[in-house]
Amino acid sequence: MSVTEQQSGEAPGRPARRRGRWRLVKIAMEKPELAALVLLFLLIGAFQVLSNGVFLNFNNLRGLFGLLPEVALVAIGVTLLMICGEFDLSVGSVFALMPMTMAVLMVDGWPFWVAIGAGLGLCALIGLTNGLITIRFGIPSFIVTLGMLFMARSLTVVISGGFPPRLRMDEIPAWLFVDFVGPGGLFRMSFLWFLAVAILVSLLLSRTNFGNWVRATGGFLPAAQATGIPTARVKIACFVLCSMLAGFAGMIQTLRIGSALPSMGEGLELQAVAAAVIGGTALTGGIGSILGGVIGATLIRVIDNGMVLSQIDSNWFKFAVGGLTIGAVVANAWMRKRARAMKVET
Amino acid sequence: MLDAGAPDAIISVRNLHKWYSGVHALKGVSLDFRRNEAVGLVGDNGAGKSTLINILAGLHQPDEGEVIVEGSRVAMRGPRDAMDLGIETIYQYNSMVPSMSIARNIFIGREPVLFSIGGFGILDEKRMRRESVQAIADVDLHLRSPDALVGELSGGQRQGVAIARAMHFRSKVMILDEPTNHLSVKETAKVIGFVRGLAAQGVTAIFISHNMHHVFACCDRVVAMALGEVVLDRRIDETSIDEVHAVL
Ligand SMILES: Nc1ncnc2c1ncn2[C@@H]1O[C@H](COP(=O)(O)OP(=O)(O)O)[C@@H](O)[C@H]1O
Ligand SMILES: [Mg+2]
């Protein structure tokens, strides 16, 4: 293709190698997750120094990798949904409701696999409800899922009967989800589940026609509708997936700590949104990546853990996450603008 | 209905009515669009032009009346039905997703897949890039790369990509709703030249504009609408800009 409408910023005589390098810079700057990735490395370096080398030692990494999948799985679903142009504030409550449902059913004598199926089914139903109400009544999903946040949390407490049901861990193949594996037991099984989900959802978004519909639906709804994409169904599918991932993550936490607590996952919805935003997902939809959400979630875990190790007052944790969220949005907007201004042959 | 539309018409509409909660936007519109004809649709804001073409594009359903495509009555339930009938629409607002690449945009909803299960499949990205380069070149548009984001293109380039998409899917009828809005003089001339060339490619054009000069520059026929009704329907060579203005 010829270069016809090339504007300033590119002298015609510039050698090809220089031009190639600018092209790479532009492509990199257009990646929404880049800022977060750079920051992640900087923070890891800083905490490594501040903690006198404890941060990157084996045991700490083991702890970090053990907790990461829980918030990251939630963040993956939330990121996907946000790219589709919608929002889910109920994930924190669903995170608790799913394992609570499972635990209560198991106390009633249901076998583990049936209880897990029922729990995930309930999550799917919640996602479906969120999606249907949002679309059918044209209400912002922010409001619908805020309502669901309260309802699902309330349901969790009600079905728990006020105190956590006893999980008989010997009846549960918990090894499948939380056992330590890998070199020296560095990872838990949950990490592998998380990796598999992250890769699958990432491929779904970037390599399939469904992913193309998700981006189009979130990117500019009227255009997506005009091309005949079933935008309502695409959104509902994302709502359902988001809820199910939140429930699955909650189940993993329950199996890790050995009991289902009614208060699990409180505030997690905001961490997940923060993770998505820090990773470059735009609140307006259409822009973002699963990798970005994962990097955002990792950043949050790293800050939490690194601050403890560095003996910083842990009350600063939320301050740091908040600052990071705002900073990331500003940085991303700036980089996108700069990248756009760079007219190079791409 | 006994009237199946004019025999040489590719699309006919008969007695179309459309209400938007109280607003009677179309009041019994009957029209024939003949094969390889470029029809200019003019009228003031609110005349019902967009409503009419939204019905032809499958985006809205008429409350009364019928749409006849190539001799048979059709009931389109969505834009996809219209596309499958060979009707492509380039909307007034941009019909592209700015945050997606040119190649991705061209194939939204009609992505080629390597294999698929139940309609879902892995994108054939190589084919998407190759065919979009070809589609863009076919409409004589010069762009840097099919991977460039549509949001980085000028208004005229975006219309160009929308036109390339419509041509790529071998449309029989191309509807352009105010495609020259917000375009530079040069870009406008390009779109007009393009519409003029459609007949030679066997494509019927419905060109909406409120600039009469644009319509007279590229259409064979002009249809004027006012307050939901057709008030004039003439061949370009049998009328004048003044006459059309007089009825509006
Ligand atoms: N989606 C809609 N809801 C309500 N009223 C509408 C809608 N679309 C169009 N109308 C009304 O229908 C009439 C015709 O509008 P439109 O077809 O957009 O006219 P034009 O394209 O000729 O400017 C106007 O009075 C407009 O306000
Ligand atoms: Mg209009």
Side-chain angles (χ1 to χ4, degrees):
Chain A
M1 299 258 92
S2 61
V3 185
T4 50
E5 245 128 319
Q6 203 172 68
Q7 277 144 37
S8 60
E10 185 69 23
R14 200 176 271 180
R17 234 186 52 225
R18 268 304 282 289
R19 211 150 46 208
R21 192 152 48 196
W22 276 113
R23 189 175 143 248
L24 288 183
V25 170
K26 180 180 162 81
I27 289 172
M29 279 173 65
E30 273 174 352
K31 293 260 177 252
E33 59 273 33
L34 180 75
L37 191 63
V38 171
L39 198 64
L40 179 60
F41 282 116
L42 288 178
L43 272 179
I44 289 174
F47 284 133
Q48 177 69 357
V49 174
L50 286 173
S51 67
N52 300 317
V54 179
F55 185 79
L56 284 179
N57 81 13
F58 184 84
N59 275 324
N60 191 51
L61 284 181
R62 197 170 183 229
L64 204 64
F65 290 141
L67 293 185
L68 176 65
E70 293 157 19
V71 56
L73 281 166
V74 180
I76 289 170
V78 168
T79 303
L80 179 73
L81 188 60
M82 281 175 68
I83 293 172
C84 196
E86 297 293 346
F87 230 65
D88 190 351
L89 291 179
S90 68
V91 286
S93 301
V94 170
F95 185 89
L97 180 57
M98 187 282 177
M100 187 60 75
T101 308
M102 189 183 86
V104 169
L105 290 176
M106 285 182 69
V107 168
D108 274 1
W110 291 41
F112 173 75
W113 290 109
V114 183
I116 214 182
L120 287 175
L122 180 64
C123 296
L125 201 67
I126 290 176
L128 188 69
T129 310
N130 284 339
L132 283 176
I133 294 178
T134 300
I135 288 155
R136 180 71 187 77
F137 298 103
I139 305 171
S141 47
F142 186 88
I143 304 297
V144 176
T145 58
L146 179 66
M148 190 57 82
L149 175 154
F150 290 115
M151 287 160 65
R153 179 66 65 186
S154 171
L155 234 112
T156 309
V157 180
V158 170
I159 65 171
S160 76
F163 47 91
R166 276 195 53 78
L167 268 182
R168 284 207 300 282
M169 292 305 285
D170 51 312
E171 283 176 16
I172 298 173
W175 60 269
L176 197 51
F177 301 101
V178 291
D179 263 15
F180 285 104
V181 292
L186 181 59
F187 302 105
R188 281 181 188 265
M189 283 296 286
S190 57
F191 194 82
L192 303 187
W193 281 97
F194 146 67
L195 269 189
V197 168
I199 290 167
L200 278 177
V201 178
S202 203
L203 289 177
L204 182 75
L205 186 61
S206 59
R207 296 266 174 271
T208 69
N209 51 359
F210 179 79
N212 214 39
W213 303 346
V214 169
R215 274 200 195 281
T217 301
F220 189 40
L221 189 63
Q225 284 169 333
T227 54
I229 295 174
T231 53
R233 267 180 270 171
V234 169
K235 283 190 174 187
I236 289 173
C238 290
F239 271 111
V240 168
L241 204 61
C242 179
S243 268
M244 291 180 75
L245 284 176
F248 183 64
M251 185 203 70
I252 286 174
Q253 181 164 99
T254 289
L255 297 186
R256 178 172 61 80
I257 63 182
S259 75
L261 305 172
S263 62
M264 276 169 49
E266 264 172 4
L268 191 58
E269 58 283 333
L270 297 182
Q271 277 192 33
V273 172
V277 169
I278 290 168
T281 303
L283 277 113
T284 44
I287 298 171
S289 70
I290 300 301
L291 177 63
V294 168
I295 293 172
T298 310
L299 258 171
I300 291 176
R301 290 310 324 150
V302 162
I303 291 173
D304 191 8
N305 176 270
M307 281 173 69
V308 173
L309 291 186
S310 313
Q311 289 165 343
I312 301 168
D313 182 351
S314 68
N315 289 317
W316 285 103
F317 168 63
K318 285 183 181 170
F319 186 93
V321 172
L324 194 60
T325 307
I326 296 172
V329 176
V330 173
N332 274 318
W334 182 80
M335 289 221 298
R336 220 170 281 145
K337 215 171 93 192
R338 289 305 305 248
R340 192 161 289 191
M342 291 166 74
K343 293 279 174 185
V344 296
E345 270 183 273
T346 44
Chain B
M1 276 272 149
L2 293 171
D3 190 353
D8 58 342
I10 185 155
I11 299 183
S12 300
V13 297
R14 287 292 174 267
N15 192 34
L16 280 190
H17 286 270
K18 180 75 188 176
W19 280 269
Y20 292 109
S21 57
V23 180
H24 198 174
L26 289 184
K27 302 172 183 162
V29 169
S30 297
L31 275 174
D32 295 297
F33 299 97
R34 296 186 185 82
R35 263 172 230 283
N36 302 353
E37 187 183 43
V39 179
L41 196 54
V42 299
D44 265 347
N45 270 336
K49 307 181 298 290
S50 294
T51 303
L52 173 62
I53 65 100
N54 282 342
I55 289 173
L56 297 181
L59 216 55
H60 291 160
Q61 281 72 46
D63 293 313
E64 209 184 304
E66 54 194 67
V67 178
I68 298 139
V69 178
E70 297 188 281
S72 28
R73 199 180 153 169
V74 294
M76 294 183 280
R77 290 193 321 274
R80 202 46 210 264
D81 288 347
M83 291 172 177
D84 291 344
L85 288 166
I87 304 168
E88 292 280 335
T89 309
I90 292 154
Y91 291 93
Q92 188 169 2
Y93 57 79
N94 229 288
S95 34
M96 299 271 131
V97 181
S99 54
M100 292 170 75
S101 73
I102 294 170
R104 291 286 183 121
N105 259 290
I106 285 180
F107 289 97
I108 293 174
R110 292 181 281 200
E111 297 87 354
V113 288
L114 293 171
F115 59 88
S116 74
I117 306 163
F120 299 107
I122 306 290
L123 294 173
D124 187 348
E125 290 187 85
K126 247 162 101 185
R127 192 174 140 201
M128 284 167 69
R129 297 181 82 254
R130 192 181 61 231
E131 291 188 2
S132 41
V133 166
Q134 187 60 48
I136 290 164
D138 284 348
V139 296
D140 204 23
L141 195 66
H142 302 279
L143 293 173
R144 285 168 286 147
S145 134
D147 299 324
L149 297 182
V150 164
E152 293 182 21
L153 304 179
S154 73
Q157 289 172 326
R158 288 188 206 192
Q159 291 297 28
V161 175
I163 289 170
R165 170 166 73 189
M167 293 308 287
H168 180 72
F169 288 100
R170 313 225 168 284
S171 66
K172 294 179 196 160
V173 179
M174 195 183 297
I175 302 172
L176 303 100
D177 191 356
E178 312 215 15
T180 52
N181 267 10
H182 316 299
L183 294 196
S184 67
V185 176
K186 207 174 122 200
E187 289 173 331
T188 301
K190 203 163 175 189
V191 170
I192 287 175
F194 178 80
V195 173
R196 207 186 275 141
L198 280 176
Q201 302 186 56
V203 178
T204 305
I206 303 175
F207 178 84
I208 297 165
S209 176
H210 47 226
N211 186 322
M212 221 66 81
H213 295 280
H214 294 174
V215 170
F216 275 72
C218 65
C219 296
D220 306 310
R221 206 174 116 211
V222 57
V223 171
M225 288 181 71
L227 300 171
E229 288 176 296
V230 174
V231 292
L232 178 137
D233 183 348
R234 288 272 160 79
R235 291 193 52 79
I236 289 284
D237 44 26
E238 293 165 354
T239 187
S240 66
I241 292 184
D242 290 337
E243 187 187 8
V244 180
H245 265 307
V247 300
L248 289 180

